[in-house]
Amino acid sequence: MKITLIDLPKIADPRGNLTVAEGLEKVPFEIKRAYWVYDVPAGESRGGHAHKRLKQLVVALSGSFTVTLDDGHERRTILLNHPWQGLLIDVNTWRTLDDFSSGAVCLVLASEHFEEEDYIYEYDEFLQYVNGQMVKSLNG
């Protein structure tokens, strides 16, 4: 599984740093939706799903959390704790966000608008879907 961490421009200033995320520049897709997750209670998880078409860039704006990615064959966990670094999550990837520090804020930049039919919420259904996608790509 390919893990892509993207360093966003960090403009250092004694008055406070600034980071920019521009679609089709450092973010490798047009940004159609942005949302953020915060005030996650201790021990809670977020995510727990995959997308068929939507790509995401996930950034820890404040604090830290872990992101576990699963492509149906391999599982990897990444700690996000730098507000100038984003984790690119491709299509057909199961994601779970855990271990939120106190005050953590998770920003998600998405390539698509919300569409319920793009989500896969059941892990067994996800495995069937990604295995079906592999068969389709092998058969041309």
Side-chain angles (χ1 to χ4, degrees):
M1 169 186 324
K2 180 181 175 188
I3 301 296
T4 305
L5 287 169
I6 296 174
D7 286 333
L8 299 167
K10 178 181 175 184
I11 302 163
D13 188 301
R15 301 168 297 162
N17 298 328
L18 174 80
T19 293
V20 177
E22 295 178 319
L24 303 174
E25 293 292 325
K26 286 288 188 172
V27 179
F29 52 79
E30 180 183 348
I31 300 166
K32 293 188 179 174
R33 183 169 174 243
Y35 62 91
W36 43 102
V37 177
Y38 54 96
D39 292 341
V40 178
E44 288 297 323
S45 293
R46 297 296 308 222
H49 62 269
H51 291 281
K52 300 172 188 173
R53 294 179 301 280
L54 180 135
K55 297 178 183 182
Q56 296 176 318
L57 188 70
V58 178
V59 180
L61 289 183
S62 180
S64 65
F65 51 89
T66 60
V67 181
T68 301
L69 302 177
D70 182 335
D71 66 2
H73 303 286
E74 183 182 358
R75 184 175 290 170
R76 300 213 13 221
T77 300
I78 297 91
L79 173 67
L80 292 181
N81 60 353
H82 300 297
W84 65 86
Q85 190 173 65
L87 174 64
L88 182 63
I89 303 178
D90 208 347
V91 298
N92 304 332
T93 304
W94 190 267
R95 81 283 323 273
T96 307
L97 287 69
D98 295 291
D99 305 319
F100 285 83
S101 67
S102 177
V105 178
C106 169
L107 170 69
V108 180
L109 304 176
S111 66
E112 306 297 329
H113 296 287
F114 176 80
E115 294 179 19
E116 184 69 35
E117 60 275 2
D118 184 55
Y119 284 72
I120 303 172
Y121 290 111
E122 298 297 328
Y123 187 73
D124 289 341
E125 182 184 333
F126 163 71
L127 292 176
Q128 290 176 350
Y129 181 80
V130 294
N131 289 329
Q133 293 297 313
M134 288 186 75
V135 169
K136 284 181 185 178
S137 69
L138 290 173
N139 291 333

